[in-house]
Amino acid sequence: MDRRTTIFLLGCAFVLSHSCTASAGPYEDGEAAYRSGDYSAALKLWRPLADQGNAEAQNALGQMSLQGRGTPQDYAQALSWFGMAADHGNASAEVSLGFLYTRGLGVPRDFEKAVHWYSVAAGQGDAGAQFDLGIMYENGAGAPRNLELALSWFRKAAEQGFAPAQYSLAGMYAHGRGVPQDDATAFEWYRKAAEQGHANAQVTLGMMYNMGVGAPQDYAAAVGWFEKAANQGSSLGQVDLGSAYQAGHGVPQDYAQALNWFRKAADQGNSVGEYNVGVIYENGFGTTRDPLTAIAWYRKAAEKGNPAAQSNLGVMYEKGNGVDQDYGQALEWYRKAAEQGFAQGQLNLALMYQKGRGAPQDNAAAFFWFNLAASNTADMSATAIRDTAVKLREQLKAEMTPTQLDEAQRMASEWTQRHPPND
């Protein structure tokens, strides 16, 4: 499930929930100790209060047990303290109980109980709980999937200024989930989240400016948002900022900067960053052409399942560029890309079968893969590839026997069974 995995606590606004006061006392002294990193002192101040039934102290001790601060990490103990605080109506503890049940920490995973506790806290107006409840309804976890309810809870949290909910609400509008598709409204909610520093919202807002979706196309504005996300360490933002420098969109074309940002993303294990570093070294964009380095980066991305990298690695093996020519390896990397629906990989695989490279010559298999590439609408960047595949398919068809055409049809039927249209 795509949900928050970190409980954010500390600080008067969250630990104390709705009863934070300015007056000094043992609880406030515990807070001061906690903020200074003196967890042992905080524990000594909060424990007597918790034993006396103070819900905020119980919640705080639950967080210390959950995070292993001032006491060994103990999910079961955290569950116990949160349960006591929740019995007193502490919304933060109720959210934390939902989290523990969602993740199966200290207790068997139980989405229904998670939904119960998120619902209780959400009913008290807790924005985090409202967001989490929306996630549960969106995914059909612990309750029947209900996009309209998910939308409603996201909106409640978003209107309180909760950035993750603003981001999720924007996504619902962007994709028409639980509400009619509306790019302009999606743009506004992405902007609200982005302005609060939500990195994924910043990246998405940049992409909307880049493509002119929901707002007029503005490459400079796109770069500004990509840069904000990239400087937060977002590998997605780093990739998009690198792409802007590579293309010269919104900034002067600068391959050194492109490589810098792609490399930052690649060093975080982002496969698109790894692929793009490979592209720069293979082609010598702003640097010395280096096929060996290109292959190393393509392989990193390809082994993570990046289809573009798999296809390019196949090309390197087919041509013997930076590696011994090996049609068998080329065929296998093309196949990996092709089976993910990557049009260039499908076209390359068809050509290998047509030429008998890496496998016996097979017109039926070639026709099948040409046909998939020709009809590939999932890969939106593949218009030229589709046109080429159509031309080559029709040329091959004129040379094929009825038996070969029947075999190609059988392969197509098997493919459809393995890859239903709604996949």
Side-chain angles (χ1 to χ4, degrees):
M1 282 173 50
D2 178 18
R3 52 159 285 113
R4 294 177 307 146
T5 57
T6 304
I7 297 293
F8 297 98
L9 246 209
L10 301 187
C12 191
F14 209 92
V15 174
L16 292 180
S17 189
H18 303 295
S19 58
C20 185
T21 64
S23 60
Y27 186 83
E28 290 74 22
D29 291 343
E31 271 199 309
Y34 194 107
R35 289 196 189 98
S36 70
D38 190 347
Y39 303 132
S40 178
L43 183 66
K44 289 179 181 178
L45 286 162
W46 281 337
R47 180 60 191 256
L49 296 176
D51 288 340
Q52 293 168 26
N54 183 296
E56 284 157 354
Q58 292 167 340
N59 177 56
L61 291 186
Q63 295 293 343
M64 295 183 79
S65 295
L66 177 65
Q67 299 173 21
R69 292 181 175 176
T71 186
Q73 188 175 58
D74 187 332
Y75 296 134
Q77 187 63 55
L79 184 80
S80 176
W81 284 118
F82 289 144
M84 294 180 199
D87 286 343
H88 290 93
N90 185 282
S92 176
E94 292 161 356
V95 175
S96 296
L97 282 174
F99 173 78
L100 292 176
Y101 279 112
T102 299
R103 309 297 289 182
L105 301 176
V107 66
R109 177 175 286 182
D110 189 328
F111 290 146
E112 290 185 5
K113 287 185 178 178
V115 166
H116 166 75
W117 286 112
Y118 290 145
S119 297
V120 173
Q124 295 184 59
D126 186 281
Q130 292 168 343
F131 168 68
D132 284 330
L133 191 55
I135 292 291
M136 301 300 275
Y137 279 116
E138 183 182 18
N139 290 283
R145 187 168 187 260
N146 188 321
L147 296 180
E148 288 74 19
L149 274 177
L151 182 85
S152 174
W153 286 112
F154 288 151
R155 188 184 306 282
K156 289 178 187 293
E159 289 175 348
Q160 293 195 61
F162 193 65
Q166 293 171 337
Y167 176 75
S168 291
L169 182 60
M172 301 292 274
Y173 277 104
H175 301 289
R177 305 180 72 229
V179 68
Q181 199 271 345
D182 186 336
D183 288 330
T185 301
F187 179 90
E188 287 305 313
W189 283 111
Y190 281 133
R191 182 180 58 78
K192 289 177 187 293
E195 288 174 348
Q196 293 196 69
H198 192 288
N200 285 348
Q202 292 169 340
V203 171
T204 306
L205 193 64
M207 289 302 300
M208 294 184 82
Y209 273 120
N210 212 39
M211 298 184 293
V213 175
Q217 189 174 57
D218 187 335
Y219 289 139
V223 166
W225 287 110
F226 293 151
E227 193 166 32
K228 289 179 185 294
N231 286 332
Q232 287 195 67
S234 165
S235 65
L236 299 175
Q238 291 163 351
V239 165
D240 287 335
L241 186 56
S243 296
Y245 277 110
Q246 186 175 33
H249 286 168
V251 288
Q253 189 176 56
D254 187 330
Y255 288 123
Q257 280 283 12
L259 179 60
N260 170 57
W261 287 109
F262 288 148
R263 182 62 190 263
K264 286 180 185 291
D267 287 344
Q268 293 192 63
N270 183 293
S271 70
V272 179
E274 292 167 343
Y275 163 74
N276 280 313
V277 171
V279 169
I280 284 180
Y281 280 111
E282 181 188 1
N283 294 281
F285 292 145
T287 188
T288 302
R289 182 174 291 177
D290 186 343
L292 289 176
T293 299
I295 285 172
W297 285 107
Y298 283 150
R299 191 178 303 280
K300 285 177 182 287
E303 289 176 348
K304 291 185 173 76
N306 185 291
Q310 291 168 341
S311 182
N312 280 19
L313 187 57
V315 171
M316 303 295 272
Y317 274 111
E318 184 179 5
K319 294 182 176 179
N321 185 10
V323 68
D324 291 339
Q325 188 176 58
D326 188 329
Y327 289 148
Q329 281 288 315
L331 186 84
E332 285 310 305
W333 285 113
Y334 289 151
R335 185 185 306 281
K336 289 178 185 293
E339 289 182 346
Q340 291 194 68
F342 190 67
Q344 185 67 67
Q346 293 170 339
L347 178 62
N348 291 346
L349 185 59
L351 289 166
M352 295 292 280
Y353 278 115
Q354 186 178 34
K355 297 173 183 177
R357 291 182 172 178
Q361 198 278 340
D362 188 334
N363 281 345
F367 183 89
F368 165 71
W369 288 109
F370 279 141
N371 195 49
L372 277 186
S375 59
N376 190 325
T377 57
D379 189 344
M380 299 304 293
S381 63
T383 301
I385 295 169
R386 288 194 294 271
D387 291 344
T388 299
V390 169
K391 180 180 178 180
L392 293 174
R393 179 192 64 190
E394 295 309 305
Q395 290 175 352
L396 179 60
K397 184 177 181 180
E399 303 171 6
M400 292 174 66
T401 66
T403 300
Q404 291 173 331
L405 288 169
D406 288 344
E407 175 62 13
Q409 181 59 51
R410 183 193 64 78
M411 295 173 69
S413 297
E414 290 182 355
W415 173 272
T416 301
Q417 291 176 4
R418 296 196 308 271
H419 304 84
N422 60 348
D423 271 13

